[in-house]
Amino acid sequence: MKIIKTGINFIDTNFGCLRPNEFMLLGAGTGIGKTSLANAMAWDMSAQGAKVALFSLENTAGDTRTRLAYNKWREDAKQYYYPERMWKIEADRGEHDEYLVYAEQQLKNIKLLEVRGEAPNILKIQSLYAECQHQGIDVVILDHLDYIKQENNNLVGHMNQLVGTLKNLIEMTDIPCIAFSHLAKVIDPRKFVPSLDDFYGSSNKTKVCTSAITMARDYETDSGDSTLCPTYFAIRKDRYGTTTGNAGRLLYDIKTQRYLDEYEPLKISTQNG
């Protein structure tokens, strides 16, 4: 078994390496950076020698490559706030070909699924997991769980079937899955970190997963650097099914689109955060 870490020091410190039957759920609200985190995990795991499948369901064909190239250009040019839309226009004119080639190289060892037309349904996810097993994939990153096509009007039933199917696939193939999820639009204002109750769709999400982590931006703390955004991470369910209250204040670096390794350990309420 390969030793695979997520590349996020807070998570790796609390969980160690991923286990074959791991079904890790990460929840965050809109704009917190779920897709950036999923991408960063994929690159970091690939750099460790792991074969990674990234199901990037929020992106259409080519978006992941373009975003990777754009972020590398931002970092090299130190143009951290340059609009991505303008960069894409320039890329279409052939001005950033070397960065697109760089992105292609980075993606060479990653099995990438982006949406081409219609979003995949549960049957498609089953088929893709079978492909992953055949191709020797070590870990699946699913971004986002909520973009898998719902075949009827019963959201709770759909989500229950989806997470149950995923859990079975993980156990049958021994391929761990890190799945990202939306949170409810309205969250109790007394909480500074969302709880298990705030996951969107069905409570079975957090019952079926082996671990659950929630994320939220910390708007009260001044990092002293406008390019570093304080963000809470809270372990809402560990591998033993318990909530320890372990949390951390991490710094998201806008320049590199990654979280710094150093973080502030915190203890939070197991109820309201």
Side-chain angles (χ1 to χ4, degrees):
M1 182 185 106
K2 286 184 180 177
I3 296 176
I4 306 170
K5 297 194 173 185
T6 66
I8 305 301
N9 191 38
F10 169 77
I11 297 176
D12 296 334
T13 297
N14 282 277
F15 286 93
C17 62
L18 294 174
R19 296 181 179 178
N21 65 346
E22 193 94 60
F23 183 4
M24 181 179 286
L25 190 63
L26 279 83
T30 302
I32 299 301
K34 295 186 290 295
T35 295
S36 293
L37 179 57
N39 290 347
M41 283 183 172
W43 318 147
D44 287 345
M45 291 177 186
S46 179
Q48 294 170 47
K51 292 183 178 179
V52 182
L54 174 59
F55 298 170
S56 190
L57 306 186
E58 190 176 31
N59 288 334
T60 55
D63 280 354
T64 303
R65 182 191 69 148
T66 301
R67 177 63 60 83
L68 180 57
Y70 164 68
N71 285 337
K72 177 62 173 172
W73 175 86
R74 286 171 66 254
E75 189 175 351
D76 287 354
K78 295 182 170 53
Q79 295 286 337
Y80 307 124
Y81 301 102
Y82 193 77
E84 184 175 358
R85 181 181 60 83
M86 294 299 298
W87 188 91
K88 287 180 178 179
I89 292 172
E90 295 167 359
D92 287 341
R93 296 199 297 255
E95 296 181 25
H96 301 299
D97 285 352
E98 68 274 27
Y99 286 98
L100 293 171
V101 170
Y102 161 83
E104 289 283 3
Q105 291 297 316
Q106 293 296 303
L107 290 168
K108 206 162 56 171
N109 296 322
I110 295 175
K111 177 182 176 66
L112 179 64
L113 170 71
E114 296 172 314
V115 176
R116 289 170 170 82
E118 196 169 50
N121 58 16
I122 293 175
L123 285 175
K124 179 65 174 177
I125 296 298
Q126 288 178 297
S127 173
L128 288 167
Y129 236 95
E131 287 180 23
C132 288
Q133 185 180 31
H134 179 71
Q135 295 170 5
I137 295 295
D138 296 307
V139 58
V140 169
I141 299 175
L142 180 53
D143 175 39
H144 307 352
L145 199 62
D146 306 288
Y147 286 127
I148 294 172
K149 185 180 178 184
Q150 183 179 333
E151 301 284 8
N152 53 50
N153 294 324
N154 184 352
L155 173 60
V156 173
H158 161 75
M159 197 55 64
N160 290 347
Q161 181 186 0
L162 173 57
V163 294
T165 299
L166 269 175
K167 183 70 179 295
N168 289 337
L169 291 169
I170 292 164
E171 292 176 347
M172 286 190 299
T173 62
D174 277 343
I175 301 175
C177 178
I178 299 175
F180 288 78
S181 171
H182 290 310
L183 296 178
K185 291 183 179 179
V186 179
I187 296 175
D188 187 337
R190 293 172 297 175
K191 302 176 186 176
F192 60 84
V193 182
S195 68
L196 293 178
D197 295 335
D198 295 313
F199 278 88
Y200 173 78
S202 168
S203 60
N204 259 12
K205 273 185 180 177
T206 56
K207 291 175 183 174
V208 171
C209 70
T210 57
S211 54
I213 299 168
T214 60
M215 303 158 52
R217 195 73 74 221
D218 174 8
Y219 294 104
E220 302 296 324
T221 300
D222 182 2
S223 69
D225 184 335
S226 62
T227 64
L228 297 177
C229 301
T231 306
Y232 292 115
F233 276 59
I235 299 171
R236 289 308 195 175
K237 178 183 178 182
D238 64 16
R239 288 186 179 128
Y240 306 102
T242 58
T243 302
T244 61
N246 287 346
R249 184 183 284 111
L250 284 65
L251 292 174
Y252 181 72
D253 190 342
I254 293 174
K255 302 187 296 294
T256 62
Q257 303 278 292
R258 290 173 181 269
Y259 286 95
L260 303 186
D261 284 343
E262 188 176 349
Y263 66 89
E264 178 187 352
L266 302 170
K267 275 288 186 181
I268 60 173
S269 163
T270 57
Q271 299 299 318
N272 290 331

